[in-house]
Amino acid sequence: MAHSFDTETEAQGLIDYVDASPTPFHACEQAAARLAAEGFTEVVEAQAWPTEPGRHYLVRGGSLIAWDTTGAHGAGSGPAAGFRVVGAHTDSPNLRIKPNPDHSRVGWQLLGVESYGGLILSSWLDRDLGLAGRVAVRGAGGVESRTFHGREALLRVAQLAIHLDRSQNDGLTLNKQAHMEPLWGLGDEPGDFVGYLAEQVGVDHEDVLSWDVMTHPVQPSARLGRSRELIAAPRLDNLATSYAGVRALLDAVATEPSHVPVLVLFDHEEIGSTSERGATSTLLPSVLERIVAAGGGTRDDYWRALAATVIASGDMGHATHPNYAERHEPMHQISVNGGPVLKVNTNLRYATDSVGAAAFRLACEQAGVPMQTFVTRSDLPCGSTVGPVTSSLTGATTVDFGAALLSMHSTRELMGAEDPAMYAAALSAFLAPA
């Protein structure tokens, strides 16, 4: 059967989501707004949770979890009902502002930055960059957090002219400390970064206490290609999965499945997931246990629910590059607009085993979309995802999957415009299997 997700609607929906989400904090705000508009209510971790079946979400910084118990608990499946979990991450490689960033050199005002994740340094050169993030400020009751999204072109990491280094085209070498500092003004005196933040979040200079601020390219996402069959955008890894996960959850809950559908969007995947809100934290297990407890379940019910759980870990996959086809496994060619990608690694850098793979294949069949299978060349290292982490923390069957793209970890990545709809359809079918 054919899925019901419209290709053009989902392509534009992804573009809108990406452009509104320059940071993990904004990605969660956008996801939460979409969930709330469809009847999900927010719960607070430090408060008691509702005991009646319902649709809820919580946000912890740049991470979000949403779930629906109206089908499973409301239909009498009981608190030991298994979970169907779709996982993704909200962070992407970028340049983040240091605690003491302001300085000047030879008449230029610069900002000190630190590289976050495995970014392609050269892709940040000569881009118009903005600033966005979270600012901790002094409030009446203590510390308050405020987000801001600077949409104007403010910064630039300027490339060295070819006349001053004729060897650049033979092999560009960039030093993260010396060569990646963005300029943002002229003057022999340092700029006032704290003053800029104070203006952005509407507080006095002295009330800015700390920040999680990062750069982002301000060029909007766009359709391209002769038939507009492609999407060029920043942060597709992994906001494309985050967006598809939200759309899939909203579609799946309409069927009121007999298990509990869950969406979890983690922060900090690009740097190893080790944080209070990353995949290695207690965030997912604790929320799953509290869902069981809120439904009247015991600790034994929680472990029974985990035994009946299947997790799908979503992260973008490498399409076969036409200019570097030799870098790909020859028997596992991957195409954009070719459907979701099952990711397999025998050394478990991806968590997929045969049982998880079968569950995902059945979801694609149910959605009426094609499925591809990715394997890294045997002589190249393999990346990883939140899949192995969530699998080890929960003991649940886990499968890794993605959607195909080029230029992963560049400031501007490229994917197929047909894939967002197929991606969401497959994930909806996974969350609500027939």
Side-chain angles (χ1 to χ4, degrees):
M1 71 181 208
H3 64 81
S4 60
F5 287 86
D6 178 70
T7 296
E8 293 299 313
T9 299
E10 300 309 322
Q12 187 59 49
L14 172 59
I15 287 173
D16 294 342
Y17 180 72
V18 169
D19 287 349
S21 304
T23 76
F25 310 112
H26 293 87
C28 289
E29 287 177 356
Q30 290 294 314
R34 286 161 169 77
L35 292 166
E38 297 298 327
F40 281 72
T41 59
E42 184 175 10
V43 297
V44 179
E45 288 186 85
Q47 298 176 1
W49 287 6
T51 56
E52 294 298 316
R55 296 171 179 171
H56 305 288
Y57 70 90
L58 70 81
V59 177
R60 184 190 289 182
S63 296
L64 175 146
I65 302 183
W67 63 94
D68 173 29
T69 57
T70 57
H73 295 178
S77 298
F83 300 97
R84 278 285 177 129
V85 182
V86 166
H89 67 88
T90 58
D91 61 320
S92 300
N94 57 16
L95 300 173
R96 302 198 172 193
I97 308 302
K98 291 180 176 179
N100 298 315
D102 285 313
H103 63 291
S104 61
R105 187 183 304 122
V106 295
W108 292 93
Q109 293 176 333
L110 303 168
L111 283 181
V113 294
E114 186 173 6
S115 297
Y116 175 92
L119 71 170
I120 300 176
L121 292 175
S122 61
S123 73
W124 289 83
L125 301 177
D126 295 334
R127 294 275 187 183
D128 294 339
L129 304 176
L131 290 170
R134 180 177 69 172
V135 184
V137 302
R138 194 188 323 273
V143 176
E144 297 179 2
S145 292
R146 301 185 184 183
T147 58
F148 77 97
H149 182 177
R151 299 176 184 274
E152 70 276 16
L154 188 67
L155 311 172
R156 185 181 180 93
V157 182
Q159 171 67 299
L160 184 66
I162 188 69
H163 313 79
L164 302 179
D165 182 4
R166 299 284 182 175
S167 67
Q168 287 186 59
N169 291 330
D170 299 325
L172 179 63
T173 301
L174 295 170
N175 181 281
K176 293 180 180 179
Q177 175 70 21
H179 301 146
M180 298 305 296
E181 291 189 329
L183 56 89
W184 75 321
L186 296 172
D188 292 324
E189 296 297 323
D192 183 8
F193 179 69
V194 172
Y196 168 80
L197 292 184
E199 292 177 359
Q200 294 298 307
V201 299
V203 299
D204 293 333
H205 192 285
E206 61 271 17
D207 289 331
V208 174
L209 301 175
S210 189
W211 56 81
D212 301 296
V213 174
M214 53 205 76
T215 61
H216 65 95
V218 298
Q219 181 183 4
S221 305
R223 295 283 291 272
L224 60 82
R226 184 175 179 182
S227 300
R228 295 296 182 262
E229 67 269 47
L230 301 170
I231 297 174
R235 303 179 297 281
L236 290 175
D237 175 27
N238 192 26
L239 292 187
T241 310
S242 299
Y243 172 78
V246 173
R247 295 289 294 119
L249 180 63
L250 293 175
D251 188 66
V253 298
T255 67
E256 296 191 352
S258 58
H259 52 270
V260 180
V262 178
L263 171 69
V264 55
L265 308 180
F266 290 112
D267 199 353
H268 296 147
E269 188 275 342
E270 297 291 358
I271 56 171
S273 296
T274 305
S275 71
E276 95 292 350
R277 58 183 182 268
T280 63
S281 73
T282 60
L283 178 59
L284 178 60
S286 66
V287 169
L288 296 183
E289 184 170 3
R290 290 186 71 176
I291 292 171
V292 173
T298 64
R299 181 76 169 170
D300 186 62
D301 289 326
Y302 168 61
W303 292 113
R304 290 170 58 199
L306 288 185
T309 292
V310 184
I311 298 173
S313 161
D315 210 343
M316 301 300 279
H318 301 292
T320 302
H321 198 301
N323 296 340
Y324 303 91
E326 72 282 357
R327 304 293 290 180
H328 300 267
E329 213 289 322
M331 299 302 293
H332 296 81
Q333 302 290 292
I334 303 299
S335 302
V336 298
N337 289 331
V341 180
L342 179 72
K343 302 167 77 170
V344 179
N345 179 257
T346 193
N347 293 301
L348 293 184
R349 296 289 288 171
Y350 305 133
T352 305
D353 64 6
S354 60
V355 176
F360 193 73
R361 183 178 295 277
L362 288 177
C364 290
E365 290 181 2
Q366 179 180 326
V369 302
M371 192 196 81
Q372 308 180 83
T373 303
F374 173 82
V375 178
T376 303
R377 278 181 60 109
S378 297
D379 55 355
L380 291 177
C382 177
S384 191
T385 69
V386 300
V389 176
T390 53
S391 176
S392 63
L393 287 177
T394 62
T397 296
T398 304
V399 56
D400 271 296
F401 67 94
L405 86 167
L406 295 181
S407 306
M408 186 180 291
H409 286 195
S410 172
T411 54
R412 201 162 179 85
E413 299 163 325
L414 189 68
M415 72 177 296
E418 297 177 22
D419 279 322
M422 290 190 285
Y423 207 23
L427 297 189
S428 176
F430 175 83
L431 288 172

